[in-house]
Amino acid sequence: MNVLIYIAAVVLTAWSMGVHVWMHSPVMQFFVSSAAVIPLAAIMGRATEAIAARSGERLGGLLSATFGNAVELIIGVFSLKDGLIPLVKSSITGSIISNLLFVLGLSFFVGGLRHPIQRFNVRVARSHGSMLMLGIGVAFVVPTAFAYSAAHVSPVLSYGAASVSLIVYLLGLYFSLFTHRELFQAIQHEEDEDVAPRRSILAHVLLLAVSTVLVSLESDWLVGSVRSIAVHLGWSEVFIGVVVVAIIGNAAEHASAVWMAWKNRMDLSLEIAVGSTLQVAMFIAPVLFFIGAIMGVPFTFTFTWPEVVSMMAAVLLVVVLVMDGESNWLEGAMAFGAYVVLAAGFYSLPG
């Protein structure tokens, strides 16, 4: 399987480069670059996981937080450079609802087909639930509500929301990795395996660096073709960001979370899905906000009402589902069904 991923990455990346240099077709560039990002993201995810396994729990947690959503950050930076602010916000929205509803729902469903009741650390679930309410329910909803209720809102509100989210997220990392790490131990299952990575940590770091550079190139070409795709297919930039770009950027995480659920390692599956959501909402979004401020791009924490309602609906449903520390296939079906409804809603928006 690893060999197939590397072959796919090489072939699709070479094809994408050929399209960019010789064909100059925005539509083909979009689809080929989208396809190339998927195996590259898988390689990045595996390299990060291997580095974390070799470097220990503390450093591994920091590396996962830094590189776990590298694709979203790269796509966001290139989108800001091109002035595609709606795409940046919609990709944040899409990453949040796809991780919470699509990934977690599919993980619950697939894992529940093999294991009738799956259990995970309820303390971790409650901590994640509280962070989600702050990172999305407060940092995103409050600036949006004030922006739509007044003719002019000071940018101080967005600066405050971004700063608080970033600081609390870093405090949460310190809390879970240092001062209270014993509370965040995973539930042990008979199927848990500790497989030592075969390569050295230096090889994995080099692999991660190369794949990150290639993802940067593909992301630049992908974002550059968005406007042409919107015209040719009649898709709105919001739909492209919420559904298409979000699924592409999280492809590696999607596969990993579902596979871990199938193996009954629900703590790891939950961390991939919900932990990644927290990274996007409380780390990636504030970082993009401050990058936008440096670049002179007016990126704020105000979203459209469909985006805000969708994110809050996803958060509330997931909080209800995980609070008991157990999951089953029906709960997964409910979360996945909610994602389908939201995706259909964004598709119905005019282009």
Side-chain angles (χ1 to χ4, degrees):
M1 182 62 70
N2 288 339
V3 175
L4 293 178
I5 292 176
Y6 290 125
I7 293 175
V10 172
V11 171
L12 291 172
T13 301
W15 187 8
S16 177
M17 290 180 178
V19 172
H20 179 73
V21 174
W22 290 297
M23 296 189 66
H24 306 291
S25 172
V27 175
M28 183 175 288
Q29 185 72 69
F30 177 85
F31 286 106
V32 177
S33 293
S34 298
V37 167
I38 294 175
L40 289 172
I43 293 172
M44 290 177 62
R46 290 176 181 234
T48 302
E49 184 179 1
I51 294 171
R54 292 292 297 271
S55 59
E57 184 179 0
R58 296 181 181 181
L59 183 57
L62 292 176
L63 286 171
S64 296
T66 303
F67 291 104
N69 286 295
V71 175
E72 287 86 347
L73 180 60
I74 293 167
I75 291 177
V77 171
F78 282 115
S79 299
L80 285 176
K81 185 191 70 172
D82 290 348
L84 300 175
I85 298 175
L87 180 64
V88 177
K89 294 183 179 181
S90 59
S91 64
I92 291 172
T93 301
S95 185
I96 289 171
I97 65 174
S98 66
N99 277 316
L100 290 181
L101 298 179
F102 181 84
V103 181
L104 193 63
L106 198 59
S107 299
F108 282 2
F109 183 80
V110 172
L113 293 178
R114 190 182 185 192
H115 312 278
I117 299 294
Q118 296 184 286
R119 295 176 175 84
F120 42 85
N121 191 327
V122 69
R123 290 174 176 171
V124 175
R126 290 171 179 168
S127 175
H128 283 342
S130 301
M131 294 280 280
L132 284 172
M133 292 302 297
L134 171 65
I136 299 172
V138 176
F140 288 172
V141 175
V142 171
T144 300
F146 276 92
Y148 280 94
S149 63
H152 175 73
V153 176
S154 171
V156 171
L157 180 58
S158 290
Y159 275 99
S163 300
V164 170
S165 293
L166 187 58
I167 292 172
V168 172
Y169 176 74
L170 295 177
L171 290 176
L173 283 180
Y174 185 75
F175 181 84
S176 60
L177 297 175
F178 292 89
T179 63
H180 290 71
R181 64 179 180 273
E182 68 280 355
L183 301 179
F184 290 80
Q185 297 297 319
I187 295 176
Q188 297 297 316
H189 300 285
E190 293 181 359
E191 298 186 28
D192 284 1
E193 300 176 352
D194 289 319
V195 180
R198 296 178 182 178
R199 300 185 185 89
S200 67
I201 188 171
L202 181 60
H204 284 292
V205 171
L206 180 61
L207 183 63
L208 181 61
V210 172
S211 58
T212 300
V213 171
L214 293 177
V215 167
S216 300
L217 291 174
E218 297 293 349
S219 300
D220 189 17
W221 300 336
L222 174 65
V223 171
S225 62
V226 164
R227 286 196 175 101
S228 297
I229 283 292
V231 172
H232 281 80
L233 300 180
W235 294 352
S236 67
E237 289 187 9
V238 174
F239 173 74
I240 293 175
V242 170
V243 178
V244 180
V245 175
I247 291 179
I248 292 169
N250 291 303
E253 296 167 5
H254 296 175
S256 299
V258 175
W259 178 241
M260 290 299 106
W262 178 256
K263 295 173 66 176
N264 203 27
R265 300 182 64 179
M266 287 308 297
D267 285 288
L268 183 52
S269 180
L270 188 73
E271 186 62 35
I272 292 172
V274 181
S276 178
T277 304
L278 289 173
Q279 290 176 7
V280 171
M282 304 184 71
F283 180 78
I284 300 297
V287 168
L288 288 175
F289 170 81
F290 289 115
I291 291 176
I294 294 173
M295 296 170 59
V297 179
F299 174 65
T300 64
F301 267 38
T302 57
F303 292 76
T304 64
W305 279 119
E307 290 174 319
V308 169
V309 171
S310 298
M311 288 188 286
M312 278 308 303
V315 169
L316 293 174
L317 179 58
V318 167
V319 167
V320 171
L321 293 180
V322 304
M323 279 304 174
D324 60 352
E326 297 180 350
S327 66
N328 54 65
W329 66 263
L330 180 59
E331 292 181 342
M334 288 188 287
F336 185 79
Y339 178 78
V340 172
V341 173
L342 293 177
F346 283 108
Y347 180 78
S348 66
L349 294 176

